């Protein structure tokens, strides 16, 4: 079971906090694909923010 708990700013980067099988796990945005189920557990507003970040980076 994966549950989204919130977002923290750590060293200037967004870190997403999850509870995975009863243990807390912090995942950076670029590592979400390495942790199965974490991206799917995010709310729509956070997914929209990630999409906006990726769009902004692609324009650099």
């Amino acid at each position: 079971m994966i549950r989204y708990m919130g977002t923290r700013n750590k060293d200037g980067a967004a870190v997403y906090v999850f509870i995975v099988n009863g243990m807390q796990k912090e995942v950076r945005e670029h590592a979400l694909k390495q942790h199965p189920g974490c991206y799917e557990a995010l709310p729509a507003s956070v997914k929209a923010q990630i999409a906006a970040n990726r769009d902004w980076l692609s324009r650099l």
Side-chain angles (χ1 to χ4, degrees):
M1 180 174 147
I2 299 173
R3 200 166 126 202
Y4 173 72
M5 298 305 292
T7 304
R8 294 184 187 161
N9 288 325
K10 190 179 236 183
D11 300 326
V15 177
Y16 302 99
V17 181
F18 297 93
I19 300 293
V20 180
N21 295 331
M23 297 186 69
Q24 182 175 327
K25 180 175 286 241
E26 294 182 354
V27 180
R28 290 185 180 264
E29 184 175 319
H30 69 277
L32 280 170
K33 290 186 178 182
Q34 296 173 356
H35 301 279
C38 287
Y39 184 78
E40 291 79 17
L42 292 171
S45 61
V46 175
K47 288 180 183 178
Q49 182 62 42
I50 291 171
N53 290 347
R54 290 179 181 167
D55 182 51
W56 178 81
L57 279 173
S58 70
R59 287 186 268 136
L60 291 179

